[in-house]
Amino acid sequence: MTIKMTAENASWPKEEDPIFAIAERADNAIRDLGRDKVINATLGSLYDDDGNLITLNTVFDELKHLRNDEIAAYSPIAGNNDFQEDVVNVCFGDYKPDAYFRAVYTPGGTGAVRHCIWTYAGASDPVICPDWYWKPYKTICDEFEREFITYPIFDENFQYNVEGFEKTFRENLKKNKRIISIFNTPANNPTGYSISDDEWDKILDIIKDEAKDMENRITILLDIAYIEYAGDGSQKKFFKKFSNLPENVFVLVAFSMSKSYTAYGLRTGAAVGLSSSQEIVDEFFYSCSHANRSNWSNGVRSSMQILSNIYRDEQKSKSYHEELEQARKLLERRAETFVTEADKVGLRIFPYRGGFFISIPTENSQEIGDELEANNLFAIALPKGIRFAVCAVPEDQCKIAPKIIKDIMDKVEKNK
Ligand code: PLP
């Protein structure tokens, strides 16, 4: 007889990560058939046209020039002191809201999402999110027994479903008077959508309306993992809208170095807390420092140092931004090509505003995904559609992929 050793709260199905599994199958196909015969649109990392991971030299030159002790020493629990200050400036750019801030190191944006869900929702409190979402939000909610609730992301015109948000937000806030609302924007994973300024105004009006009840505790979790790939700088303007919020509205920005510094494996990000009250950001800081200590203790010193060294040196900062812009433009070209071709062949996709992914809504995603794979196009079948990682696919393949997808979708749908 086999016995079960994991405690009830930590018992999960024995399953491999499906995205990494299909990415491995795509790699095998490339090995067997050659790169030109296979479209690998699976993984959310930027690759060049030869299939090599794009890495920003400014970032990795800096890493290689750090002294051993700058890499080896423990950092303070909340992160290097310079990093705590610099990451706020890097995060908001020219559009710092009128508010108090503090930042705490986290291992990637994931750590910041984790801290938010643990710290600002209690057991069975609701965490609301659009129905096209990055899966770890739910994984974390499951782990901590928070109630994860979704609403349809778009209305019938493929605009942000503010009405759906409002209904879900107001209804669920009533339950325990505490809620977290997740927004992964700009350049949402997986849809490529960015909430517009007008949509933000409406969303914030609804939030401020509920904040009139001083018993309510409202947290906005703003996941900006792809922000640097969502425009040429002005995409950060919306941050200004978080100025002078009511005290019972707290904003936690999940900042990540994974995409914006191509530093995925260095596991560095930050939880940036924002409030109109100094006391509330202090409370945030000490609570998240405690969570750091209990989960991973100190952070990765070298990557924090890299961010500060680049931020504080004019020349390095210039090179970094030039390299980043090059990567962003490459992505933009690929996405434009895909969008144009999709339009030509009549493939209906979600409105793309930036980031690593384009998504195609369909109710038959698994069958279509399987059929695409049989035709050597590897993309991710999500519950409500197909996610195509433009970040990983050369422009010439972005040109041919929409027709392949359209033909297969038509075939699968015809056989239904
Ligand atoms: N948020 C979204 C939507 C993501 O897609 C990712 C990475 O894929 C992250 C956050 C955080 O990544 P990391 O923990 O590597 O910073």
Side-chain angles (χ1 to χ4, degrees):
M1 190 187 76
T2 52
I3 59 163
K4 192 155 96 62
M5 286 301 293
T6 50
E8 213 41 58
N9 62 292
S11 295
W12 304 105
K14 292 177 188 145
E15 57 190 19
E16 305 297 333
D17 186 296
I19 296 186
F20 285 96
I22 184 171
E24 198 180 323
R25 297 202 294 280
D27 281 342
N28 293 341
I30 290 172
R31 204 192 44 227
D32 295 345
L33 303 170
R35 188 163 295 288
D36 56 328
K37 301 277 187 309
V38 176
I39 299 178
N40 180 2
T42 54
L43 280 186
S45 306
L46 260 178
Y47 288 88
D48 67 17
D49 288 353
D50 299 319
N52 304 308
L53 190 69
I54 293 179
T55 54
L56 303 184
N57 287 325
T58 326
V59 172
F60 296 96
D61 286 350
E62 200 55 38
L63 176 67
K64 286 164 196 155
H65 287 99
L66 291 180
R67 296 188 317 264
N68 286 358
D69 64 294
E70 289 177 305
I71 301 170
Y74 282 128
S75 69
I77 296 291
N80 296 357
N81 295 331
D82 287 350
F83 175 82
Q84 288 180 38
E85 203 181 305
D86 298 340
V87 76
V88 173
N89 296 322
V90 170
C91 175
F92 296 114
D94 294 334
Y95 302 100
K96 223 187 232 180
D98 192 0
Y100 294 97
F101 314 95
R102 287 196 84 165
V104 173
Y105 162 92
T106 55
T110 310
V113 172
R114 182 257 167 235
H115 277 0
C116 186
I117 290 171
W118 174 254
T119 311
Y120 291 95
S124 77
D125 281 341
V127 176
I128 66 166
C129 182
D131 60 349
W132 285 71
Y133 60 86
W134 186 53
K135 203 167 163 213
Y137 300 144
K138 180 170 183 323
T139 311
I140 295 169
C141 285
D142 289 348
E143 176 114 340
F144 297 152
E145 298 178 356
R146 275 46 173 163
E147 197 188 354
F148 186 72
I149 300 153
T150 63
Y151 57 90
I153 185 168
F154 294 121
D155 63 19
E156 53 292 348
N157 301 317
F158 283 0
Q159 301 300 303
Y160 202 79
N161 177 15
V162 177
E163 239 175 72
F165 159 76
E166 175 169 18
K167 186 167 177 295
T168 310
F169 175 73
R170 290 196 198 267
E171 269 176 24
N172 284 287
L173 179 57
K174 272 200 190 81
K175 289 183 189 161
N176 302 343
K177 298 199 140 304
R178 178 178 283 279
I179 199 164
I180 296 175
S181 182
I182 302 179
F183 298 98
N184 170 213
T185 183
N188 174 266
N189 172 9
T191 63
Y193 192 74
S194 300
I195 294 179
S196 71
D197 281 1
D198 278 0
E199 288 161 347
W200 265 123
D201 287 339
K202 289 181 194 150
I203 290 167
L204 287 172
D205 280 350
I206 295 161
I207 289 176
K208 284 178 192 167
D209 185 49
E210 286 293 344
K212 285 181 195 149
D213 178 348
M214 280 310 289
E215 304 263 290
N216 283 338
R217 297 287 178 271
I218 301 166
T219 299
I220 298 172
L221 168 52
L222 188 58
D223 180 352
I224 56 160
Y226 298 91
I227 194 163
E228 299 298 347
Y229 299 91
D232 55 10
S234 59
Q235 74 274 21
K236 293 194 175 183
K237 246 188 197 155
F238 79 103
F239 281 137
K240 281 279 186 194
K241 296 182 186 293
F242 299 106
S243 299
N244 305 308
L245 289 173
E247 278 200 8
N248 53 346
V249 178
F250 179 73
V251 182
L252 191 148
V253 183
F255 171 88
S256 167
M257 285 180 73
S258 293
K259 328 282 169 184
S260 52
Y261 288 76
T262 62
Y264 318 88
L266 282 174
R267 306 310 306 139
T268 298
V272 180
L274 181 168
S275 166
S276 53
S277 150
Q278 179 71 58
E279 240 173 75
I280 286 171
V281 290
D282 287 344
E283 174 191 69
F284 153 81
F285 178 82
Y286 290 105
S287 183
C288 289
S289 298
H290 187 278
N292 269 7
R293 191 56 163 149
S294 79
N295 281 280
W296 41 76
S297 204
N298 323 68
V300 181
R301 198 178 208 289
S302 53
S303 37
M304 289 188 257
Q305 189 73 49
I306 291 171
L307 182 140
S308 288
N309 288 359
I310 294 174
Y311 176 72
R312 290 176 180 226
D313 181 302
E314 208 175 306
Q315 192 48 47
K316 287 175 188 169
S317 185
K318 188 165 169 278
S319 315
Y320 162 71
H321 283 290
E322 282 168 3
E323 276 194 274
L324 183 60
E325 183 60 4
Q326 240 181 3
R328 188 183 74 79
K329 286 250 166 75
L330 172 81
L331 188 61
E332 197 175 66
R333 279 197 304 277
R334 289 177 181 173
E336 266 172 22
T337 302
F338 190 100
V339 171
T340 307
E341 289 305 313
D343 193 40
K344 270 192 208 156
V345 301
L347 177 70
R348 200 159 167 261
I349 61 175
F350 284 143
Y352 175 85
R353 306 267 186 267
F356 283 21
F357 308 104
I358 289 179
S359 282
I360 302 130
T362 166
E363 278 167 13
N364 308 308
S365 62
Q366 196 54 58
E367 288 115 299
I368 291 167
D370 291 347
E371 192 66 25
L372 287 170
E373 185 169 336
N375 285 273
N376 295 313
L377 192 159
F378 294 77
I380 305 299
L382 296 171
K384 297 184 177 186
I386 302 288
R387 186 189 84 172
F388 187 94
V390 270
C391 56
V393 179
E395 198 178 333
D396 57 341
Q397 293 189 330
C398 285
K399 197 168 164 65
I400 59 171
K403 177 150 171 47
I404 301 173
I405 300 171
K406 174 77 168 109
D407 288 348
I408 286 175
M409 277 180 85
D410 286 351
K411 189 173 127 195
V412 168
E413 275 154 21
K414 210 156 101 199
N415 290 338
K416 278 267 141 188

